[in-house]
């Protein structure tokens, strides 16, 4: 594991409730026996490739800490680009309706809701247990009244809002079944969050036409894509009748977000 010393420090901090500064100032103090035992157990599970976030129970994303479990994808730093783009498209005071498709932990929906007080935000997921985790995060962040959760397939649960959405945002499953994955991901993250049915672009093929119908004229859609998928996903957006198609690269320079607009 590449970051073993860092993981060990985070587990130590988790066990002791310490900050980074505590580790620097008090790192030479002997560990109490109970804490040492707890730390050893966590280190053993981490060495067996259990994700660090399943041991500490959380992951920082955008401006908040999100509770995670094996029911949801662990939020990834590159997904913050979707939030950044969404906030760029949503005027701070606009009363926009925003839908997050495949909300998982709720990290995207809740990050947008926290920054856009006037927005109505709806998070959708096919997984009821994922929505339970999103609800827990909403409660922890005191955003409960601001976000609505709906269970179902893609934009099906918001059919009542057809033609009215200002923004559709989604980080859908896009991993190809043949792609090599780290054991932490392969053995511990939900297959429903990783693998689309059939081939890697199958969700985009269904999502873009649904978004074209669900958005108001002039409304925007933003999706995250896997490395190497942006060109084809952008072409699928145009084929669905969306325009102003653009791609945005993540901090590693990988085209990561495709943005498109329903013509006015
Ligand atoms: C890649 S994860 C993204 C989770 C979260 N939005 C994030 O960015 O960390 C994809 C999510 O989509 C959900 N999902 C998969 N297929 C779906 C479908 N057809 N309709 C709705 N949600 C779906 C999964 O349960 C999972 O929570």
């Amino acid at each position: 594991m590449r970051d073993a010393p860092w993981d060990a420090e985070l587990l130590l901090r988790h066990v002791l409730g310490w900050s980074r500064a505590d580790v620097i100032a008090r790192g030479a103090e002997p560990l109490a026996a109970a804490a040492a035992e707890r730390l050893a157990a966590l280190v053993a599970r981490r060495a067996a490739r259990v994700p660090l976030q399943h041991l500490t129970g959380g992951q920082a994303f955008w401006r908040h800490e999100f509770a995670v479990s094996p029911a949801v994808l662990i939020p990834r730093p590159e997904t913050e680009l979707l939030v950044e783009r969404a906030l760029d498209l949503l005027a701070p005071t606009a009363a926009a309706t925003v839908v997050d498709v495949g909300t998982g932990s709720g990290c995207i929906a809740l990050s947008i809701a926290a920054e856009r007080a006037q927005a109505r935000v709806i998070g959708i997921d096919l997984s009821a247990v994922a929505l339970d985790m999103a609800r827990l995060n909403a409660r922890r962040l005191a955003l409960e009244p601001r976000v609505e959760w709906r269970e179902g397939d893609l934009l099906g649960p918001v059919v009542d809002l057809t033609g009215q959405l200002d923004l559709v945002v989604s980080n859908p499953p896009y991993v190809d079944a043949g792609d090599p994955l780290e054991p932490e991901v392969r053995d511990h993250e939900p297959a429903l969050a990783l693998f689309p049915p059939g081939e890697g672009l199958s969700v985009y093929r269904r999502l873009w036409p649904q978004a074209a119908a669900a958005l108001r004229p002039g409304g925007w859609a933003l999706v995250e894509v896997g490395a190497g998928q942006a060109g084809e996903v952008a072409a699928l957006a145009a084929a669905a009748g969306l325009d102003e198609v653009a791609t945005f690269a993540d901090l590693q320079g990988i085209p990561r977000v495709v943005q498109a607009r329903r013509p006015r």
Side-chain angles (χ1 to χ4, degrees):
M1 280 174 284
R2 268 176 298 139
D3 294 327
W6 178 242
D7 287 4
E9 180 182 322
L10 287 174
L11 290 174
L12 176 75
R13 283 161 54 182
H14 176 67
V15 166
L16 297 176
W18 278 8
S19 66
R20 184 98 230 269
D22 290 326
V23 175
I24 293 163
R26 304 174 57 188
E29 290 177 17
L31 268 184
E37 214 172 288
R38 217 174 137 222
L39 179 63
L42 289 173
V43 167
R45 291 182 68 202
R46 183 71 194 98
R49 309 298 293 264
V50 175
L52 180 72
Q53 296 85 347
H54 289 177
L55 301 174
T56 61
Q59 171 64 44
F61 178 85
W62 197 248
R63 296 191 200 284
H64 302 283
E65 180 81 8
F66 287 87
V68 297
S69 77
V72 296
L73 190 88
I74 297 164
R76 306 294 205 267
E78 59 269 27
T79 302
E80 293 182 335
L81 181 59
L82 267 185
V83 176
E84 194 181 307
R85 292 303 318 144
L87 296 179
D88 205 59
L89 294 171
L90 293 168
T93 53
T97 302
V98 179
V99 173
D100 174 23
V101 177
T103 199
S105 64
C107 61
I108 299 169
L110 291 164
S111 295
I112 293 172
E115 307 251 355
R116 291 292 181 266
Q118 305 303 318
R120 173 187 184 189
V121 182
I122 301 170
I124 294 173
D125 210 288
L126 203 49
S127 160
V129 278
L131 288 176
D132 286 342
M133 189 55 59
R135 278 191 199 94
L136 172 72
N137 279 314
R139 210 161 41 244
R140 285 190 173 182
L141 298 173
L143 288 168
E144 238 178 338
R146 300 269 327 284
V147 185
E148 200 184 311
W149 309 105
R150 298 191 186 183
E151 186 182 337
D153 178 41
L154 299 186
L155 286 160
V158 288
V159 74
D160 55 314
L161 296 171
T162 296
Q164 297 174 45
L165 305 184
D166 296 281
L167 176 65
V168 170
V169 63
S170 183
N171 174 20
Y174 55 68
V175 178
D176 219 68
D179 285 356
L181 294 173
E182 295 290 331
E184 286 86 344
V185 180
R186 188 190 61 219
D187 301 337
H188 296 277
E189 295 204 84
L192 185 63
L194 299 171
F195 307 111
E199 44 77 47
L201 303 184
S202 68
V203 176
Y204 305 102
R205 285 184 212 285
R206 295 175 55 233
L207 182 59
W208 283 132
Q210 289 188 22
L215 290 167
R216 66 162 170 80
W220 294 94
L222 288 168
V223 299
E224 180 170 318
V225 298
Q229 294 177 336
E232 279 180 274
V233 173
L236 289 170
L242 297 167
D243 66 11
E244 299 188 44
V245 181
T247 63
F248 298 87
D250 64 19
L251 293 174
Q252 292 180 56
I254 298 170
R256 186 59 73 184
V257 167
V258 178
Q259 173 178 303
R261 191 172 204 187
R262 179 171 172 189
R264 286 170 186 278

